[in-house]
Amino acid sequence: MAARAPMGPEPGDTTMARDAGLRRYLGYYMKRGMNVVQADLNATLKPLGLRMITFSTLVVASDNPGLRQAQLANFLSIERPNLVAIIEELVQRGLLTRERVKTDRRAYAIALTPEGRTLLDKAKKAIEAHERRVFADFSEDDQTHLVRLMSKLVRQGSGDPS
Amino acid sequence: MAARAPMGPEPGDTTMARDAGLRRYLGYYMKRGMNVVQADLNATLKPLGLRMITFSTLVVASDNPGLRQAQLANFLSIERPNLVAIIEELVQRGLLTRERVKTDRRAYAIALTPEGRTLLDKAKKAIEAHERRVFADFSEDDQTHLVRLMSKLVRQGSGDPS
DNA sequence: TATTGTTATACTCTATAACTATA
DNA sequence: TATAGTTATAGAGTATAACAATA
């Protein structure tokens, strides 16, 4: 490394600033916090061959047996076209069934197979361990606060004045 | 729509569950909150021709004049290859300069142009309005809590026991 | 040998338009 | 005409390997 110049910062001098300018924004803190959660979540699900969206799909399909894809996409807040490959993957792996609805032959009813149930149970345990790990420093109050604050954001985003 | 069957839920019945199974996870609340913030942030920056990453790049470059790309990528928590196109875009638009470092001819020193400064000032004002809008329901205490909780996550993610 | 910036590449996530078959 | 699922496509975001120039 070159010797320090006798006066003033040399190019690339980083005596302090770094990301200080970004720490003025609440959104920056949220992004960094979310990155930590998401990285650990992905690492948690990887050994099970799942991602966040496939895990969520199994959870919602499990809670709403017989759901149609359009409704499933709606509950998952993703576009219908993007759900197609996800469903296809889970059906191919024998985790979901996709059966024609008798009363509407356009639609498919989605449901978990026994194998899907088994994997989902395992994944839920892994996710619960993941949350205990990532939110280890969170008191009960912290957790309540987090849910309250995030819910405020979601209400704000939906234009709901309640 | 078909008449309701006399007993039991028909396929696709959604009398209650929806995403209830996901609401057991703190990460789900964070994801949904983050989605609201990010959607409004992107809409805010779009008229200025900026994205979250280009805005952040201008902020950090502004606070650390003469920074090298590798350091910049480090501060922005992105991989060096992914910064190349971002810098190139901002240089092409006349917002950044990229000059060879005299003492190390491998490296470039990044700095804002006057045009970059002007746009950044405008973007900062837009982002501040965005944060007032999105976090409108947040009290001072809420904001303090949010920063504290997110910082706990970041410490957890970095393995920092402090 | 190691580092800076770069190229090439690939995978995920997301969004839209348009098609088909049904309703 | 409208809806369910699908196809094709395109844009971001992110990650890794490998190269040329320089240290």
Side-chain angles (χ1 to χ4, degrees), chain A residues 19-29, chain B residues 55 59 62-63 117 120-121 123-125 127-128 131-132 135 143 147:
Chain A
D19 64 347
L22 296 174
R23 288 177 193 259
R24 305 174 45 207
Y25 305 112
L26 294 174
Y28 180 63
Y29 285 92
Chain B
F55 171 72
V59 170
S62 167
D63 289 349
R117 160 79 39 210
L120 177 56
D121 288 345
K124 279 180 174 174
K125 288 206 180 73
I127 290 292
E128 280 150 22
E131 292 230 326
R132 281 193 299 272
F135 297 102
Q143 298 185 30
V147 170

Side-chain angles (χ1 to χ4, degrees), chain A residues 51-53 77-79 81-82 103-106:
Chain A
R51 295 165 290 154
M52 184 173 55
I53 187 58
S77 300
I78 67 175
E79 298 301 318
N82 294 330
T103 54
D104 184 347
R105 287 176 40 209
R106 294 173 301 182

Side-chain angles (χ1 to χ4, degrees), chain A residues 36-90:
Chain A
V36 170
V37 174
Q38 205 147 350
D40 193 273
L41 179 136
N42 287 331
T44 299
L45 290 176
K46 188 155 199 172
L48 300 170
L50 294 174
R51 295 165 290 154
M52 184 173 55
I53 187 58
T54 48
F55 171 72
S56 301
T57 299
L58 291 179
V59 170
V60 175
S62 167
D63 289 349
N64 303 274
L67 207 62
R68 298 167 176 215
Q69 287 186 206
Q71 297 171 303
L72 191 48
N74 193 36
F75 292 174
L76 293 169
S77 300
I78 67 175
E79 298 301 318
R80 272 68 78 210
N82 294 330
L83 185 58
V84 173
I86 293 162
I87 296 289
E88 178 64 18
E89 173 190 332
L90 296 174

Side-chain angles (χ1 to χ4, degrees), chain B residues 86-145:
Chain B
I86 293 161
I87 296 289
E88 178 63 19
E89 173 190 332
L90 297 174
V91 168
Q92 287 299 320
R93 290 176 59 189
L95 304 173
L96 289 185
T97 57
R98 182 177 41 185
E99 290 185 6
R100 285 283 181 199
V101 173
K102 293 193 189 71
T103 53
D104 184 347
R105 287 175 41 211
R106 293 172 303 182
Y108 285 109
I110 304 298
L112 256 72
T113 64
E115 292 77 18
R117 160 79 39 210
T118 300
L119 183 65
L120 177 56
D121 288 345
K122 209 181 299 185
K124 279 180 174 174
K125 288 206 180 73
I127 290 292
E128 280 150 22
H130 143 76
E131 292 230 326
R132 281 193 299 272
R133 192 165 55 236
V134 170
F135 297 102
D137 293 345
F138 278 51
S139 67
E140 284 293 326
D141 262 13
D142 286 344
Q143 298 185 30
T144 305
H145 273 126

Side-chain angles (χ1 to χ4, degrees), chain B residues 11-156:
Chain B
D13 177 66
T14 59
T15 28
M16 29 128 296
R18 295 167 166 274
D19 64 347
L22 296 174
R23 288 177 194 259
R24 304 174 48 210
Y25 305 112
L26 294 173
Y28 180 62
Y29 286 92
M30 283 195 60
K31 175 87 164 85
R32 300 224 308 163
M34 190 65 213
N35 282 351
V36 170
V37 174
Q38 204 147 353
D40 192 273
L41 179 135
N42 286 331
T44 299
L45 290 177
K46 188 155 199 172
L48 300 171
L50 294 174
R51 294 165 290 153
M52 183 173 57
I53 187 59
T54 48
F55 171 72
S56 300
T57 299
L58 292 178
V59 170
V60 174
S62 167
D63 289 349
N64 303 275
L67 206 62
R68 297 167 176 216
Q69 287 185 208
Q71 297 170 303
L72 190 49
N74 193 36
F75 291 175
L76 293 169
S77 299
I78 67 174
E79 297 301 318
R80 273 67 77 208
N82 295 330
L83 185 57
V84 173
I86 293 161
I87 296 289
E88 178 63 19
E89 173 190 332
L90 297 174
V91 168
Q92 287 299 320
R93 290 176 59 189
L95 304 173
L96 289 185
T97 57
R98 182 177 41 185
E99 290 185 6
R100 285 283 181 199
V101 173
K102 293 193 189 71
T103 53
D104 184 347
R105 287 175 41 211
R106 293 172 303 182
Y108 285 109
I110 304 298
L112 256 72
T113 64
E115 292 77 18
R117 160 79 39 210
T118 300
L119 183 65
L120 177 56
D121 288 345
K122 209 181 299 185
K124 279 180 174 174
K125 288 206 180 73
I127 290 292
E128 280 150 22
H130 143 76
E131 292 230 326
R132 281 193 299 272
R133 192 165 55 236
V134 170
F135 297 102
D137 293 345
F138 278 51
S139 67
E140 284 293 326
D141 262 13
D142 286 344
Q143 298 185 30
T144 305
H145 273 126
L146 181 60
V147 170
R148 208 187 94 253
L149 296 177
M150 295 302 107
S151 298
K152 276 193 181 187
L153 282 173
V154 173
R155 274 196 300 276
Q156 187 68 26

Side-chain angles (χ1 to χ4, degrees), chain A residues 3-14:
Chain A
R4 180 159 296 279
M7 49 192 310
E10 65 180 81
D13 176 67
T14 59

